[in-house]
Amino acid sequence: MEKKLVLHFPPILVDKPMISTLIRDYDLDFNILKAFVSPEEEGVLVIAFSGTEENLDKAVNELKSKGVTIQLIESDIRMIRDRCTDCSVCVGLCPVGALILDRETYEVIFDAKRCIACGLCIKGCPAKAMVSSI
Ligand code: SF4
Ligand code: SF4
């Protein structure tokens, strides 16, 4: 089976070779979809792991035990339109263009299909208009 995850590495873990150890120990394949360092110097890795369900669960638990925060890609990020002031702060934060400023209406539009659930807009939105139900 395959799991697409967003891994948030605190600054203290950014330089550690955790993924290579993990794929060796749990016999996983992987595909890195996106990697970047957030403004808070947190490492963010969007990755698809494949392997047996048991080994995937063990690998996820090991990452969590080492301080990595994990989100499933399918997590439910949404915009609460009534709260949004169209300030555009999130447009600059989103690494995949899931938040777009409509140049005609000056409204910020959320494209859920592009969202990789990195959580940067949730942290950055001054109006708390971007939320996750997880
Ligand atoms: S940062 Fe928040 S308030 Fe500003 S445009 Fe984005 S969702 Fe709307
Ligand atoms: S969580 Fe927010 S910043 Fe991250 S990809 Fe989705 S819309 Fe963009």
Side-chain angles (χ1 to χ4, degrees):
M1 73 177 295
E2 182 182 86
K3 273 190 184 180
K4 286 186 188 163
L5 303 169
V6 185
L7 310 179
H8 299 260
F9 294 84
I12 196 168
L13 293 178
V14 165
D15 294 336
K16 302 274 188 290
M18 296 175 69
I19 299 302
S20 54
T21 308
L22 210 65
I23 60 172
R24 191 188 59 227
D25 290 354
Y26 296 108
D27 193 25
L28 304 176
D29 285 326
F30 72 104
N31 182 20
I32 292 177
L33 305 171
K34 189 114 192 157
F36 57 94
V37 176
S38 75
E40 294 83 24
E41 300 193 342
E42 174 194 68
V44 182
L45 190 63
V46 184
I47 191 164
F49 283 122
S50 49
T52 65
E53 186 172 4
E54 186 185 354
N55 281 354
L56 281 169
D57 287 345
K58 284 180 183 170
V60 165
N61 286 336
E62 182 163 332
L63 285 169
K64 283 182 183 168
S65 74
K66 289 185 170 162
V68 179
T69 306
I70 299 175
Q71 286 175 280
L72 273 172
I73 290 270
E74 293 84 357
S75 75
D76 180 23
I77 304 282
R78 59 200 170 86
M79 174 190 270
I80 301 176
R81 188 64 235 173
D82 288 351
R83 291 188 190 167
C84 177
T85 59
D86 297 308
C87 70
S88 298
V89 167
C90 58
V91 175
L93 294 175
C94 181
V96 292
L99 288 152
I100 307 149
L101 179 65
D102 184 321
R103 298 274 169 200
E104 287 184 7
T105 63
Y106 290 98
E107 251 188 26
V108 172
I109 296 163
F110 173 49
D111 181 352
K113 290 193 294 300
R114 290 189 177 192
C115 176
I116 58 169
C118 70
L120 290 177
C121 59
I122 295 175
K123 289 182 190 162
C125 173
K128 307 274 181 251
M130 298 303 296
V131 296
S132 167
S133 57
I134 289 183

